[in-house]
Amino acid sequence: MAAIGFRERLKQFFGLASQMPEELFEDLADLLVEGDFGAAEALALADRLRDRCRKQKIQDAPGAHKALAELLEELLRETSGGEPFGEGGEDAPALGIILLLGVNGVGKTTTAAKLACRYRERNRRKPILAAADTFRAAAVDQLKIHGERLGIRVVAHKQGGDPAAVVYDALDAALSGGGDLIIADTAGRMHTKSALVEELKKIDRVVAAKAAGGRYLKWLVLDATTGRNALAQAEAFHQAVSLDGVVLTKGDSTAKGGVVFSLAQTLKLPVIYSCYGETYQDIKPFDPHGYAAEFAGLAPDKAD
Ligand SMILES: Nc1nc2c(ncn2[C@@H]2O[C@H](COP(=O)(O)OP(=O)(O)O)[C@@H](O)[C@H]2O)c(=O)[nH]1
Ligand SMILES: [Mg+2]
């Protein structure tokens, strides 16, 4: 995340005065809003920072800056859950299902391929990709190309087919020994929003009926560059199908990134992974400490 404009300003803000007078906390709230923080959340955070500085007798601006990064990290840690299907230990579920949701262009298909690659390589999982975006012809082909490149099975039907049937077939393939982690791509747009919601609910029912013993997670893919609009997207999908977490893409862009704190505070949704490029390796578990430090302008330079 190269939040240069905003981050530089935040650095300057704390660099302006060596002391932290009370009024500065109000200015800080305004600045956080420019970094895609929600207005009410920015005010609440500035208040918490003022209280903390009082309690800990922090009077200097660099100390307050550090305390801000700590508070931001705490906000993220309240919801963060770490990487699922982790080490292949005893608590690793026999069957995992990841449903990737989100509007067009955020990076769902690319993320599906990255996750499949990662879980096969690091967690010795046997993934199956399910092409449940049957709305656009190119979407199925795109996933098939990834599957061919990676040597990972792709379950697909024709364009216009029933996405729930694709997921059903992928579950069948897994349950008959063909794999142990289904990663399903879904459509981002339909004729109407209610059609999309019905389609997603139908997929939900299929998974519940056929894979009751598996671990089923619904992750929303969000493009970090969309700013506050990401929160509106998350609210809509969360209401429709009750999400478990978020994958944040395009962290290699100039996103400001404050919306992640709103996801944590308002919707209690953790970010599970962040993606920062177009190769299969450009995905990592979300790091609350690094993210908070970078947002606050306290992270080491990218060159480090
Ligand atoms: N720079 C960058 N590009 C990405 C990232 N993830 C996806 N993309 C690109 O974003 C575009 C849309 O991705 P796609 O997976 O097709 O999105 P979908 O419509 O949600 O399935 C493609 O050109 C991807 O290569 C990322 O983390 N960083
Ligand atoms: Mg796609």
Side-chain angles (χ1 to χ4, degrees):
M1 186 180 50
I4 296 170
F6 165 70
R7 233 193 303 148
E8 277 310 311
R9 297 204 29 218
L10 202 58
K11 275 193 211 173
Q12 277 171 12
F13 177 84
F14 284 104
L16 277 180
S18 52
Q19 298 294 303
M20 238 353 243
E22 294 272 314
E23 321 79 79
L24 266 191
F25 288 97
E26 276 152 44
D27 297 345
L28 175 64
D30 291 341
L31 191 52
L32 288 171
V33 169
E34 286 177 39
D36 286 338
F37 239 84
E41 293 147 10
L43 282 171
L45 184 67
D47 279 349
R48 278 178 72 180
L49 182 62
R50 183 182 7 228
D51 288 349
R52 181 162 297 190
C53 287
R54 249 187 227 139
K55 276 199 196 105
Q56 300 187 353
K57 303 199 171 23
I58 297 168
Q59 282 163 350
D60 62 311
H65 195 181
K66 206 164 147 271
L68 172 68
E70 283 165 9
L71 273 176
L72 288 166
E73 181 179 343
E74 286 167 24
L75 286 181
L76 297 177
R77 287 206 187 278
E78 278 167 24
T79 55
S80 79
E83 194 172 23
F85 314 114
E87 306 303 319
E90 276 174 17
D91 58 344
L95 176 62
I97 302 115
I98 299 172
L99 195 65
L100 294 175
L101 308 153
V103 303
N104 278 349
V106 289
K108 288 181 299 299
T109 307
T110 312
T111 300
K114 285 175 181 171
L115 286 171
C117 183
R118 179 176 178 92
Y119 281 112
R120 182 183 57 183
E121 254 129 65
R122 303 176 70 107
N123 299 329
R124 278 177 270 121
R125 282 270 164 178
K126 193 171 174 194
I128 296 176
L129 288 162
D133 179 359
T134 60
F135 191 60
R136 292 185 305 157
V140 176
D141 294 339
Q142 199 187 341
L143 200 64
K144 279 184 180 165
I145 291 169
H146 285 304
E148 271 162 34
R149 278 195 204 137
L150 289 165
I152 288 174
R153 180 166 175 186
V154 178
V155 172
H157 293 180
K158 290 194 306 289
Q159 189 215 344
D162 179 358
V166 177
V167 174
Y168 185 97
D169 282 357
L171 285 166
D172 244 358
L175 293 169
S176 56
D180 57 15
L181 178 64
I182 290 166
I183 300 168
D185 193 14
T186 63
R189 196 176 331 130
M190 298 272 295
H191 326 275
T192 63
K193 193 182 148 203
S194 62
L196 178 60
V197 170
E198 283 316 307
E199 176 175 304
L200 298 175
K201 286 189 169 159
K202 188 170 173 194
I203 295 176
D204 244 6
R205 288 196 294 274
V206 164
V207 177
K210 209 168 159 64
R215 177 143 190 232
Y216 172 37
L217 296 172
K218 284 168 269 185
W219 291 342
L220 182 69
V221 182
L222 287 175
D223 176 338
T225 63
T226 52
R228 295 296 297 166
N229 191 248
L231 187 67
Q233 289 172 24
E235 276 166 351
F237 277 92
H238 198 32
Q239 197 183 17
V241 288
S242 179
L243 300 166
D244 300 292
V246 165
V247 176
L248 199 64
T249 61
K250 312 192 193 184
D252 48 321
S253 63
T254 54
K256 289 178 280 191
V259 73
V260 167
F261 301 99
S262 300
L263 291 172
Q265 278 179 284
T266 317
L267 299 178
K268 308 285 172 220
L269 279 178
V271 181
I272 315 292
Y273 288 100
S274 58
C275 298
Y276 46 88
E278 294 178 88
T279 77
Y280 296 127
Q281 278 70 41
D282 292 332
I283 183 166
K284 62 179 179 194
F286 182 70
D287 163 25
H289 176 75
Y291 194 89
E294 194 167 340
F295 178 82
L298 280 175
D301 288 339
K302 288 269 173 186
D304 285 34

